[in-house]
Amino acid sequence: MHSDLILGTTLAAAALAYVFKPKKPKTELEASSVTVPVIPTYLPLQLDGVLHYILTTLSGKDEMEFLRNITNRFGNTINFRGFNRDFIIVLDPSSIQHILAKNQPNYEKGPELQAIFHEFLGSGIFNADGETWKTQRQIARPHFQTSEFKDAALINRHVDLLIKAIDKQMAANPGKPIEVQSIFCRFTLDEATEFLFGETVHALKEENSEFATSFNYAQAITAWRFRVPLWRYLLPKKRLLKEIKNLEEFVYKIIDNAMAREKVRVEEKERTPGSEKEEKGKGHATLLDHFLAEQEEHNFTREYLRDMLLNFLLAGRDTTASLLTWTMWHLSQRPDVVDKLKKEILDVVGPTAVPGYDDIKKLKYQKQVVNEVLRLCPPVPFNIRQSVEEDVLPNGYYIPPGTPVSYSAYSTHRLPDLWGEDALEFNPDRWGPERVGSIKPFMFVPFHAGPRICLGQNLAYTTAQVTLTRLLQHYDIKASPGFQPQNLGDIVLFSRNGVEVLIEKKSIAA
């Protein structure tokens, strides 16, 4: 994207905002509350702050640290204003709890955010409010219960393929570091598509699979819509629609096959009296099956099912891939932590046994490590809501109606006031018995909280821990000399340049 074009468009948008923004009298609530501090700027219409942020991202710098440094300077509740429009960022746990739980109905996705995601995600759960969101969540919830994946068979089957893929790379480039971010994205894409759809895209076998390429492009362009003014006119749409069509061809084929199976099942049920009672309470093979079992009541369209599946795929694939990627990075820097993890795995699971859900529950130190990765590298580093009506946060700050309000797990998880002077250090012991009691609600929100808390958090933990256990049974993990990852704060927190680690094949018992 050309920086001159961004600059010119930003100036034009700012001028229009200045000319046409109406001035409104203060309401009684606003007059009795505290105005959120606006970040100081020196150009008209707050152009310098907005341009600084956009150009920081365009130049490949760390936008998450850019935003964290701003809050460090100006406070935990700030107004990052641009074009005379409010954009409020909150970090304190009480405000996050207020937005996500106590007054959750007042903070929706909102029309602006929904427009950004519309072509990609439609009216799926990630992009929905109200009854649409409630219906999808209610139907999907049973599929994410622990009983659906407790034996970890599906996870272990895909870990087998992951290990083969890593071995293949090691054989092709002996002694060279492996870029694990891309391989974890392909691994979780395979696992998620089978868990959700009943069919996998075989991304581990086909490094440049069409589905994976299209999915990555759609996500990247959607993320840029957050940043660029007048994105409808500046960002490429023709290719986006083409890549989305590629996704839809795969998804619609699965939907049509599943609908045909459901039709046969219903016909057989009608021909066999009493079969409905026998089927009641049985689990469904895929998330799609859960929805089709409710088809008679809700009459879901193909488009509705398409939206639902792509939304859950976005949430399921990238968050777990991000968690695994950053776990490998931190472990490569901490051989002492790796040694403790290996000893625990040897004691609890053994050197070669394939772990199940019950084994994972016993790996207490491993859970501490995973939580510490989630603290420093939350898969969704920030999230945005929009206020429906005016409101006042617990700290007394006023929120106007129709205002974007963002909370940043990335920044909140790094506040020394909450986490101590070692807040920026990777320290799994903070989750041990001596310190874990100091971690209060809404200090730690890697999977969000409240009514919209992530349905798949138990699956994410299980997948990450089963995968980590198996990898440490097979390999040693060491730092790649001179390599440093670069934060990329898109929809999900990844590294702009991937994550390189040295992996050596070695038995855990050696």
Side-chain angles (χ1 to χ4, degrees):
M1 234 168 300
H2 202 285
S3 59
D4 290 343
L5 179 61
I6 297 294
L7 176 61
T9 305
T10 302
L11 290 170
L16 289 171
Y18 179 77
V19 171
F20 292 108
K21 181 174 179 64
K23 289 182 169 45
K24 296 181 180 179
K26 286 187 176 182
T27 66
E28 182 178 341
L29 185 62
E30 182 179 6
S32 63
S33 306
V34 181
T35 301
V36 176
V38 179
I39 296 173
T41 56
Y42 304 98
L43 293 178
L45 307 177
Q46 313 89 35
L47 285 177
D48 44 340
V50 176
L51 287 173
H52 190 188
Y53 171 65
I54 293 173
L55 294 177
T56 292
T57 307
L58 285 172
S59 63
K61 294 179 181 176
D62 189 340
E63 62 184 299
M64 298 313 304
E65 284 297 307
F66 169 82
L67 292 172
R68 190 175 73 86
N69 289 334
I70 286 177
T71 56
N72 283 346
R73 289 176 61 194
F74 300 110
N76 291 344
T77 306
I78 60 171
N79 189 346
F80 191 71
R81 209 156 189 260
F83 312 149
N84 280 348
R85 297 198 63 192
D86 296 324
F87 186 88
I88 293 171
I89 301 173
V90 302
L91 302 186
D92 64 285
S94 64
S95 293
I96 295 173
Q97 182 179 27
H98 183 82
I99 292 165
L100 298 186
K102 289 186 175 179
N103 199 21
Q104 182 265 341
N106 191 55
Y107 294 91
E108 297 183 338
K109 293 289 185 175
E112 293 183 21
L113 193 69
Q114 289 167 336
I116 286 172
F117 278 99
H118 179 71
E119 282 92 355
F120 184 22
L121 299 180
S123 60
I125 191 171
F126 190 82
N127 203 34
D129 288 316
E131 289 304 316
T132 301
W133 164 75
K134 288 180 181 177
T135 298
Q136 291 190 41
R137 187 176 180 89
Q138 181 180 0
I139 297 173
R141 183 182 288 111
H143 193 59
F144 290 92
Q145 292 175 350
T146 304
S147 58
E148 293 285 327
F149 53 87
K150 190 170 184 178
D151 64 357
L154 183 148
I155 298 170
N156 275 304
R157 187 163 64 251
H158 286 284
V159 176
D160 288 340
L161 298 174
L162 171 66
I163 290 171
K164 287 181 181 178
I166 291 174
D167 285 348
K168 183 178 178 181
Q169 285 200 26
M170 290 172 61
N173 301 284
K176 300 291 184 182
I178 290 179
E179 199 287 284
V180 294
Q181 181 171 273
S182 61
I183 202 167
F184 283 143
C185 282
R186 287 153 51 205
F187 159 67
T188 55
L189 181 60
D190 282 351
E191 182 206 21
T193 48
E194 182 173 355
F195 183 72
L196 300 172
F197 305 165
E199 296 184 31
T200 182
V201 296
H202 300 293
L204 274 173
K205 291 182 180 179
E206 303 172 32
E207 188 169 347
N208 298 309
S209 74
E210 186 175 30
F211 186 93
T213 300
S214 296
F215 194 85
N216 291 339
Y217 182 83
Q219 180 175 330
I221 291 299
T222 300
W224 268 103
R225 289 179 169 186
F226 285 106
R227 306 181 180 108
V228 178
L230 302 178
W231 56 266
R232 289 178 175 85
Y233 310 103
L234 289 177
L235 295 181
K237 188 171 181 180
K238 185 176 181 181
R239 182 183 169 188
L240 175 64
L241 295 178
K242 176 178 175 292
E243 302 294 353
I244 289 173
K245 187 176 180 182
N246 289 340
L247 299 178
E248 290 176 340
E249 287 178 0
F250 177 83
V251 172
Y252 277 136
K253 183 191 295 184
I254 290 170
I255 290 171
D256 290 341
N257 289 340
M259 291 180 82
R261 289 197 308 271
E262 179 66 11
K263 183 180 179 182
V264 170
R265 187 189 70 81
V266 171
E267 290 173 350
E268 289 179 352
K269 183 179 70 174
E270 291 173 348
R271 288 196 301 267
T272 310
S275 62
E276 183 176 0
K277 185 176 181 180
E278 292 175 7
E279 285 188 6
K280 198 169 184 179
K282 286 186 178 180
H284 300 285
T286 70
L287 180 66
L288 180 55
D289 290 332
H290 276 284
F291 275 80
L292 290 178
E294 303 287 334
Q295 177 72 1
E296 186 175 344
E297 179 180 349
H298 296 281
N299 195 28
F300 298 126
T301 64
R302 291 171 79 242
E303 291 75 18
Y304 185 99
L305 295 170
R306 169 262 190 219
D307 294 349
M308 177 273 298
L309 288 176
L310 286 180
N311 274 253
F312 278 102
L313 181 58
L314 174 65
R317 183 199 84 151
D318 284 355
T319 53
T320 308
S322 172
L323 172 55
L324 285 167
T325 297
W326 291 112
T327 300
M328 292 292 278
W329 161 250
H330 282 291
L331 293 185
S332 73
Q333 308 302 301
R334 293 289 301 273
D336 58 320
V337 174
V338 173
D339 288 343
K340 289 180 72 173
L341 285 170
K342 286 196 168 192
K343 182 180 184 307
E344 183 181 56
I345 292 169
L346 190 60
D347 292 343
V348 174
V349 183
T352 59
V354 174
Y357 181 79
D358 291 336
D359 299 312
I360 294 302
K361 293 276 285 182
K362 299 172 187 175
L363 297 173
K364 304 298 185 184
Y365 183 71
Q366 187 185 80
K367 182 69 174 290
Q368 292 177 211
V369 170
V370 171
N371 277 338
E372 184 67 347
V373 175
L374 288 168
R375 184 184 71 85
L376 286 174
C377 305
V380 181
F382 61 90
N383 213 311
I384 303 173
R385 297 288 187 265
Q386 183 169 313
S387 59
V388 178
E389 299 176 353
E390 63 177 351
D391 192 21
V392 177
L393 297 177
N395 53 17
Y397 286 117
Y398 175 76
I399 305 294
T403 300
V405 181
S406 173
Y407 65 95
S408 171
Y410 181 92
S411 296
T412 296
H413 290 180
R414 291 167 180 252
L415 288 174
D417 290 349
L418 298 177
W419 298 93
E421 293 304 314
D422 65 344
L424 300 183
E425 297 176 15
F426 180 76
N427 181 12
D429 289 338
R430 78 175 72 249
W431 298 92
E434 297 82 8
R435 293 184 62 178
V436 71
S438 65
I439 300 172
K440 306 301 182 185
F442 296 88
M443 276 176 56
F444 182 63
V445 286
F447 296 103
H448 312 307
R452 296 192 79 138
I453 192 169
C454 177
L455 282 172
Q457 63 174 314
N458 286 332
L459 177 61
Y461 271 116
T462 304
T463 300
Q465 291 192 253
V466 167
T467 305
L468 181 58
T469 299
R470 304 264 325 262
L471 292 179
L472 291 177
Q473 285 175 324
H474 283 77
Y475 306 112
D476 272 348
I477 300 165
K478 298 179 180 178
S480 175
F483 179 81
Q484 187 69 32
Q486 302 169 6
N487 281 348
L488 176 63
D490 276 349
I491 301 170
V492 173
L493 183 64
F494 279 124
S495 170
R496 194 182 303 275
N497 57 332
V499 169
E500 288 184 2
V501 298
L502 283 170
I503 298 178
E504 299 176 357
K505 198 163 184 117
K506 189 175 182 181
S507 169
I508 193 172

